[in-house]
Amino acid sequence: MRISICKWFNNAESPVIFMIDDLCNTWVDTGNKGYREWGDDWGFFKREEKSSFRYLNEQILALFPEVKVTFFVPVGIRAGISVHPLYQQISRPLDADEESRGFFKFIHQHPKFELAYHGTTHGNPGEAARDFVQEWHTFHTIEEAVETIRAGLVTFQNAAGERPSGGKYCGYAGSKLADESIDRSGFTWWCRYWNHGYEDMGDGPDYGEDADPISRYEIKRFGANGVIDIPSTVNGGLLRGLTSPDYSFKGIAKRALKRPLIRYRLRKLDYLLKHRLVISIQEHIAPSRDDGKIQHPNIFHDRNSLVEIFRYLATKKVWYCTGTELADYVNLRDHIKLVQIDESGFELVHDLRYENWQISLQVEDSKGMHILAPDHRKFAVLQGAVNLPVMQGKYLLQRGGVY
């Protein structure tokens, strides 16, 4: 009987991470009105009326309770886009006051959410958006980068109650110096590239050097400590323009072809599912910018696109997870060895730090089978797979029901 460790938890086709950038203690007062409107808030208004966090929960996540979110947070005073802003931007550190600390700690401790590191200020503004310098490109030495991260982690911990496991380069703008700073700073995982961008080959975010159409969407590692590199693979606005009302002549034609066009674009997800690759959906928490332009992608303009994407994924066998949950499973998968002792059982050889973590196994010819764990608990093998706690001792393969 053949038993193997599953690539993904619960033997899913793909893991799905909903990644939202720039949740921070910031408000862009578009129009300089002096009061908030939908889309102005980046997290400054917490869970109050017309806050972006409230919009996310009420308009998107309420429809898909299984979806989890990894929020990437600039921890300090978030820089504006331009040195000559059109709109006032108000920004404070994550740990500015008790209310702020309470909000960000609530999110980080919520079972469906996590906060991840996204720099301190995000970078330095310029004359125009194209002149903005992303944070890791402002560092001249590895010592400067590491010290800035160290100070940022203090702010993060003051707000969230613990340090983050992972994070992402601001604007997906990294470097060898940047990679070394992440490796030295003790992160378990990181998002380095806008991997999907390799298909576009345009200016903008770094899309990495892997040209292979499959391996560029696989989990990789970097640095002396083997930091897990999680790829970024899906624009949340994938279906934007097909899901929004448009009463122009062109819009009428689009409506007639809406379903075929949506299905055509969803081939992107089909490709990732077919090859069992990471589906990480990129968004921003708000569209507002102090230079008056719209930040894309964002959850407001992409709301209908996201609803269609998640409805489609609901028909597939996927694993909704946070970045840390994905990294933890990959680390477990890569550092555990299944040893089949005989036809009746096997052992999971592992480091004690992984004791009682959950591993997924695929079992051939498993009809009517269950597994008796070393602590005598029974686990049914369903559709050829089973999730087991990692323990010392022999696991027994048995036919018959689970009592």
Side-chain angles (χ1 to χ4, degrees):
M1 181 178 297
R2 186 171 181 275
I3 309 171
S4 58
I5 296 173
C6 296
K7 181 176 184 178
W8 307 121
F9 183 70
N10 207 31
N11 200 28
E13 295 177 69
S14 291
V16 176
I17 312 173
F18 189 17
M19 308 190 305
I20 300 181
D21 284 7
D22 296 339
L23 177 72
C24 50
N25 212 352
T26 298
W27 170 39
V28 178
D29 183 10
T30 57
N32 297 320
K33 301 175 296 295
Y35 57 87
R36 79 193 80 155
E37 289 189 333
W38 288 118
D40 289 355
D41 174 49
W42 290 28
F44 186 84
F45 291 108
K46 319 309 188 274
R47 287 177 280 179
E48 297 176 27
E49 185 180 357
K50 292 190 177 179
S51 70
S52 290
F53 184 73
R54 187 164 174 175
Y55 179 89
L56 171 68
N57 280 277
E58 294 177 356
Q59 296 297 320
I60 300 172
L61 297 182
L63 303 175
F64 307 99
E66 67 279 8
V67 172
K68 296 185 177 182
V69 183
T70 295
F71 295 98
F72 294 89
V73 294
V75 300
I77 298 176
R78 211 286 190 188
I81 299 297
S82 172
V83 293
H84 306 293
L86 293 178
Y87 304 140
Q88 181 186 20
Q89 175 172 303
I90 298 171
S91 187
R92 298 171 183 167
L94 255 60
D95 63 348
D97 49 51
E98 185 175 350
E99 183 183 16
S100 298
R101 292 190 296 272
F103 173 66
F104 290 107
K105 188 172 184 179
F106 159 78
I107 293 176
H108 194 58
Q109 293 184 348
H110 195 286
K112 287 177 54 177
F113 305 138
E114 75 168 338
L115 301 181
Y117 190 73
H118 199 44
T120 54
T121 65
H122 208 288
N124 295 334
E127 292 290 326
R130 64 179 177 274
D131 303 315
F132 188 94
V133 181
Q134 302 290 353
E135 182 158 328
W136 268 265
H137 283 186
T138 68
F139 302 134
H140 299 96
T141 66
I142 183 65
E143 290 76 21
E144 181 185 5
V146 170
E147 177 57 28
T148 302
I149 293 170
R150 186 203 64 77
L153 291 177
V154 171
T155 302
F156 187 105
Q157 186 154 357
N158 286 343
E162 62 182 8
R163 60 164 290 154
S165 295
K168 180 193 291 185
Y169 289 134
C170 304
Y172 291 107
S175 64
K176 289 184 179 179
L177 180 153
D179 287 350
E180 185 177 349
S181 74
I182 301 308
D183 189 35
R184 284 196 194 181
S185 298
F187 289 101
T188 300
W189 62 271
W190 201 257
C191 294
R192 300 160 78 199
Y193 304 124
W194 173 230
N195 306 73
H196 175 69
Y198 202 98
E199 299 173 10
D200 304 325
M201 296 294 286
D203 295 332
D206 190 348
Y207 45 76
E209 299 177 353
D210 189 347
D212 186 271
I214 294 179
S215 64
R216 72 167 170 261
Y217 297 134
E218 290 277 18
I219 295 287
K220 295 182 176 67
R221 292 181 184 268
F222 69 95
N225 295 306
V227 182
I228 290 174
D229 181 1
I230 297 178
S232 302
T233 63
V234 177
N235 187 318
L238 177 67
L239 305 177
R240 190 190 311 131
L242 299 178
T243 54
S244 303
D246 183 352
Y247 300 104
S248 66
F249 179 79
K250 187 176 179 180
I252 293 171
K254 273 188 178 181
R255 283 204 302 278
L257 297 171
K258 176 179 175 180
R259 296 320 304 181
L261 287 172
I262 287 176
R263 189 65 194 86
Y264 179 81
R265 292 193 191 178
L266 287 174
R267 292 184 311 158
K268 170 68 177 179
L269 299 182
D270 292 336
Y271 180 85
L272 297 171
L273 290 163
K274 176 183 176 181
H275 296 287
R276 307 195 72 191
L277 302 170
V278 176
I279 297 175
S280 49
I281 303 169
Q282 171 69 60
E283 279 293 350
H284 287 91
I285 194 65
S288 55
R289 294 182 3 175
D290 71 345
D291 64 352
K293 296 182 180 179
I294 294 174
Q295 178 171 243
H296 286 295
N298 68 77
I299 61 171
F300 289 84
H301 290 86
D302 298 339
R303 186 263 178 190
N304 294 337
S305 174
L306 291 166
V307 167
E308 288 282 351
I309 288 171
F310 287 129
R311 279 178 179 163
Y312 185 69
L313 290 175
T315 68
K316 308 298 179 181
K317 187 177 182 181
V318 296
W319 168 40
Y320 294 100
C321 57
T322 63
T324 298
E325 288 171 340
L326 175 59
D328 284 348
Y329 186 82
V330 170
N331 268 329
L332 175 61
R333 181 192 76 190
D334 291 353
H335 293 93
I336 193 171
K337 184 177 181 181
L338 190 153
V339 178
Q340 194 147 353
I341 300 171
D342 49 40
E343 283 297 312
S344 68
F346 60 89
E347 289 184 346
L348 297 173
V349 180
H350 61 281
D351 189 293
L352 284 177
R353 61 181 163 160
Y354 298 117
E355 190 81 2
N356 289 318
W357 287 32
Q358 291 283 313
I359 191 71
S360 296
L361 304 181
Q362 191 167 8
V363 185
E364 291 185 354
D365 186 27
S366 59
K367 185 176 181 180
M369 176 173 289
H370 66 266
I371 294 177
L372 185 68
D375 64 354
H376 304 295
R377 283 184 290 164
K378 292 183 178 182
F379 297 86
V381 181
L382 303 174
Q383 297 180 329
V386 61
N387 301 325
L388 294 175
V390 175
M391 307 179 73
Q392 303 284 330
K394 186 176 181 179
Y395 295 78
L396 296 176
L397 300 162
Q398 298 179 343
R399 300 283 180 181
V402 178
Y403 308 109

